[in-house]
Amino acid sequence: IAGGVPVDRFQELTIEKKQVELDNAHLEQEAADLAAKIEEAQKGRSQASDVLGSELVKIRMYAGLTQLTGPGVEVIMENPPEKGGSPSYYSIRDEDILKVINDLRGAGAEAMSINGQRILSTSEIRLAGNHINVNMVRLSPPYRILAIGNPGTLKSSLEIKGGLVEYLSANGITVVVQQWEKIDIPAYDGSLRFDYAKPVQRG
């Protein structure tokens, strides 16, 4: 008898104790493995969330839904002054503004606005009487176009010999192009609706 316990029973209990200790060790190892896997999964989910968040920011920027800031140019277009109380025969038209927008876009402008209206790929610029509508908002001269991009490149594209500034000035329109180290362009604040267009389902 060992301590009041039969020898056989003592040996049996000793074996059971060792087995329990082994089981505990296995369980502790499994718990550690599971904890490591959970931590790894959480890291992966966090990284995936970061990637999605970054992509969402880019998409909102491309869609014009985010206010942007950066270097660029300011283009101010004003109608010819009245002579003797009579308006000039020529006034700024929608096509004149479209030419400036397209020229700036071709020179690498990354974001643009006119009199506070963000220019999107879907923006309409349309003559309406003596005014020009942009994003269904009625704008009056002077027209102030802001464009973010390389200031020197944007300015040169407009002021090149035979370019738009020369063409517009020949029609009496006052055009001033200024370079700025920091320009703030507002986000688009109108509605975005797709009544007929639907995403293509792949696969």
Side-chain angles (χ1 to χ4, degrees):
I1 295 175
V5 179
V7 174
D8 291 345
R9 180 60 180 156
F10 180 79
Q11 290 175 343
E12 186 180 325
L13 290 172
T14 301
I15 292 171
E16 286 181 7
K17 180 186 175 189
K18 287 182 179 177
Q19 187 60 49
V20 169
E21 289 173 348
L22 283 173
D23 289 344
N24 282 340
H26 287 312
L27 288 171
E28 286 175 4
Q29 184 60 49
E30 285 183 18
D33 291 343
L34 285 172
K37 287 177 181 176
I38 290 171
E39 185 178 352
E40 195 64 31
Q42 287 175 337
K43 283 182 184 176
R45 187 171 63 181
S46 175
Q47 289 171 352
S49 178
D50 289 344
V51 169
L52 287 173
S54 177
E55 286 302 309
L56 180 59
V57 168
K58 288 180 185 176
I59 290 168
R60 288 183 63 83
M61 285 174 62
Y62 293 142
L65 304 177
T66 304
Q67 180 177 347
L68 298 176
T69 187
V73 295
E74 176 183 27
V75 183
I76 300 175
M77 302 170 65
E78 177 65 281
N79 280 327
E82 294 184 357
K83 293 181 180 178
S86 300
S88 169
Y89 74 95
Y90 193 93
S91 60
I92 299 169
R93 298 168 296 184
D94 49 356
E95 60 189 71
D96 297 323
I97 291 179
L98 279 168
K99 285 175 183 175
V100 173
I101 293 294
N102 288 333
D103 200 270
L104 290 168
R105 189 172 280 141
E110 297 176 354
M112 289 179 280
S113 68
I114 304 175
N115 291 19
Q117 286 299 309
R118 181 69 172 269
I119 299 300
L120 309 180
S121 60
T122 56
S123 292
E124 90 290 346
I125 299 174
R126 190 173 54 206
L127 189 64
N130 296 325
H131 302 84
I132 291 176
N133 285 347
V134 177
N135 296 335
M136 302 298 290
V137 176
R138 181 175 166 176
L139 305 182
S140 302
Y143 298 108
R144 181 172 174 256
I145 301 172
L146 298 178
I148 289 177
N150 183 299
T153 303
L154 297 177
K155 191 172 192 294
S156 297
S157 72
L158 294 173
E159 295 182 339
I160 190 172
K161 185 173 176 57
L164 276 176
V165 169
E166 189 174 305
Y167 163 77
L168 294 169
S169 296
N171 286 307
I173 295 173
T174 302
V175 184
V176 177
V177 184
Q178 292 179 294
Q179 299 182 99
W180 298 101
E181 286 301 314
K182 184 174 181 276
I183 282 177
D184 294 321
I185 292 185
Y188 176 71
D189 61 359
S191 63
L192 294 173
R193 290 186 58 186
F194 292 91
D195 293 323
Y196 301 100
K198 305 293 181 188
V200 175
Q201 299 295 327
R202 300 188 181 277

